[in-house]
Amino acid sequence: MLATQQPVLRRFWYPVMPLEQLGDGPQPFRLMNEELVLWLDSEGKPHAAEDRCAHRTARLSLGWVEGDNIVCPYHGWTYDGGGGCVRIPQTPDRSAGRAKVRAFNAEARYGYVWVCLGDPLTDIPHMPEADEPGYRVIHQFYEVWRTAGLRLMENSFDNAHFSFVHRESFGQFDKPIPAKLNIVEEDFGFRFETVAPVNNPPLQKKLLKMDSDTTERHMTSNWFMPFGRKLNIRYPNGLVHAIITYATPIDDEHSMICQWAYRSDSEEDAPAEQIIAFDRQVTEEDKRVLESTDYDAPLDTASGEERHMPSDQPGMVMRKMLLALLARFGEEEARISGARIPMKEKAS
């Protein structure tokens, strides 16, 4: 599936940039191949519009904020948060309303600017830990990966890769049979539950305050269609480590990885720097493999392009639900021209 060529995927919310990065002025971002300019108004509310002045196409992200509006750096044409031109300095006696740029839905949540390019199908997911006492937030990663969002989402719910991809961090290489899991489908996603045995390396022993060489992760997780997940890990001692990860589609081949975590302990119990260091090791292990995969993952699991095994169930459900979403809105799956043909078809 080529995400940027599926119009319905423009109707979901994506975190695009940490709010603090807009403190120094407008910033550019590419979302689903749309070049955007992001800025904060005088009250700190984010706005998003196409990064292209209606006059001579200069990038608005090179300009500056004046009150609630953004000013083009080329000739000073000024636009409000709705994309309307409110000032053309060269013709003060004429209405500026004849010029307009496209504006998009933008909201501030969880320390990020979220953007939806179309009419939203659903709300930004609720993260109860953000408001519950006893939890702290740790902002971890904001970086580009050369992988498709669907590949990262499947990886996030794949118990079978622990023993191999994560053999140097928490995976048990000598126990490759994956833990059983349960999936309950919901509107625009699913809920996933599993209990997975894992190794407890030295850094984790310190962070978890657990001396055993192995432990269990009780994981109750959520997939937020299309490219978001919440991985809620509860350890036997009651500690909760909840990781939020979004693979925001820059284009079909690249995703902006936005990840933050909620912890039920304190900075004194486990320094954030060390928590990030362990999660960095884990994500680098994933990144190395995911960046080697084809970004045009087929939604049709019967196409023969890829083979499957029982533990692939979460990814199979994702593909089924995404296909159903496309059908619901009258779309067909967009693929690369000349997509890989199964061997049996080549032979014939």
Side-chain angles (χ1 to χ4, degrees):
M1 178 184 70
L2 303 177
T4 68
Q5 298 183 33
Q6 308 291 173
V8 70
L9 299 188
R10 295 169 62 92
R11 299 182 63 181
F12 290 88
W13 289 96
Y14 302 97
V16 296
M17 187 174 292
L19 278 163
E20 64 180 15
Q21 293 195 16
L22 297 182
D24 294 329
Q27 297 293 329
F29 188 86
R30 180 186 298 169
L31 175 60
M32 297 188 70
N33 274 335
E34 287 276 2
E35 300 290 349
L36 305 179
V37 57
L38 310 171
W39 77 95
L40 300 178
D41 65 21
S42 60
E43 296 182 353
K45 181 184 182 332
H47 298 278
E50 62 178 315
D51 196 7
R52 182 181 186 275
C53 182
H55 179 220
R56 290 295 183 266
T57 76
R59 286 187 173 271
L60 296 175
S61 57
L62 296 175
W64 58 91
V65 176
E66 189 175 85
D68 295 334
N69 306 318
I70 187 165
V71 181
C72 177
Y74 198 0
H75 296 93
W77 289 31
T78 304
Y79 300 87
D80 63 20
C85 187
V86 296
R87 180 173 179 260
I88 299 177
Q90 295 80 13
T91 57
D93 56 332
R94 298 178 58 190
S95 171
R98 65 185 186 276
K100 187 175 179 64
V101 297
R102 289 178 300 146
F104 304 98
N105 302 294
E107 295 288 344
R109 199 78 55 87
Y110 313 126
Y112 276 84
V113 180
W114 295 66
V115 173
C116 179
L117 297 174
D119 184 19
L121 285 175
T122 185
D123 294 331
I124 298 170
H126 176 56
M127 309 298 175
E129 294 86 354
D131 303 314
E132 288 183 9
Y135 283 91
R136 57 174 166 147
V137 62
I138 302 172
H139 290 286
Q140 295 191 319
F141 313 125
Y142 178 71
E143 59 196 29
V144 178
W145 286 18
R146 188 180 177 274
T147 192
L150 180 57
R151 294 293 191 192
L152 179 55
M153 289 300 102
E154 290 189 327
N155 169 268
S156 298
F157 295 88
D158 176 13
N159 286 347
H161 82 287
F162 294 166
S163 296
F164 301 93
V165 175
H166 301 303
R167 64 189 182 277
E168 299 295 332
S169 53
F170 67 86
Q172 298 182 331
F173 184 69
D174 58 338
K175 298 178 181 178
I177 298 177
K180 295 181 180 180
L181 56 89
N182 183 59
I183 293 176
V184 177
E185 294 184 25
E186 301 176 337
D187 291 340
F188 304 112
F190 62 60
R191 182 176 173 83
F192 163 104
E193 186 168 5
T194 187
V195 178
V198 297
N199 287 337
N200 193 31
L203 179 55
Q204 278 290 80
K205 289 181 180 180
K206 179 179 178 181
L207 296 174
L208 300 177
K209 300 293 189 290
M210 295 171 58
D211 293 330
S212 58
D213 292 332
T214 63
T215 186
E216 286 186 337
R217 289 180 169 185
H218 183 186
M219 296 182 284
T220 53
S221 306
N222 298 88
W223 171 50
F224 305 119
M225 189 182 286
F227 307 129
R229 69 97 191 244
K230 175 184 177 184
L231 171 60
N232 189 293
I233 304 171
R234 182 178 293 275
Y235 289 96
N237 63 358
L239 187 144
V240 174
H241 183 63
I243 304 173
I244 316 301
T245 308
Y246 269 79
T248 295
I250 297 171
D251 52 35
D252 290 315
E253 196 170 356
H254 300 87
S255 301
M256 180 62 79
I257 307 305
C258 305
Q259 180 166 308
W260 65 98
Y262 298 104
R263 292 269 298 200
S264 63
D265 57 6
S266 67
E267 180 70 15
E268 291 72 27
D269 294 328
E273 182 179 0
Q274 295 180 12
I275 292 169
I276 293 171
F278 181 77
D279 285 351
R280 166 59 73 189
Q281 179 184 358
V282 173
T283 56
E284 286 295 329
E285 291 168 346
D286 285 322
K287 180 181 180 182
R288 176 175 176 270
V289 174
L290 289 173
E291 289 194 333
S292 75
T293 62
D294 294 342
Y295 61 88
D296 183 18
L299 297 185
D300 182 2
T301 57
S303 69
E305 293 179 59
E306 298 180 350
R307 299 295 184 255
H308 312 287
M309 58 183 177
S311 59
D312 293 329
Q313 183 190 4
M316 302 283 275
V317 173
M318 288 180 191
R319 297 186 191 202
K320 179 195 73 172
M321 293 182 69
L322 285 168
L323 266 181
L325 177 74
L326 298 185
R328 174 183 165 189
F329 288 92
E331 297 181 29
E332 294 185 357
E333 179 185 3
R335 301 294 311 280
I336 296 174
S337 178
R340 184 169 299 171
I341 301 172
M343 292 300 294
K344 64 180 181 180
E345 294 187 19
K346 288 183 179 180
S348 62

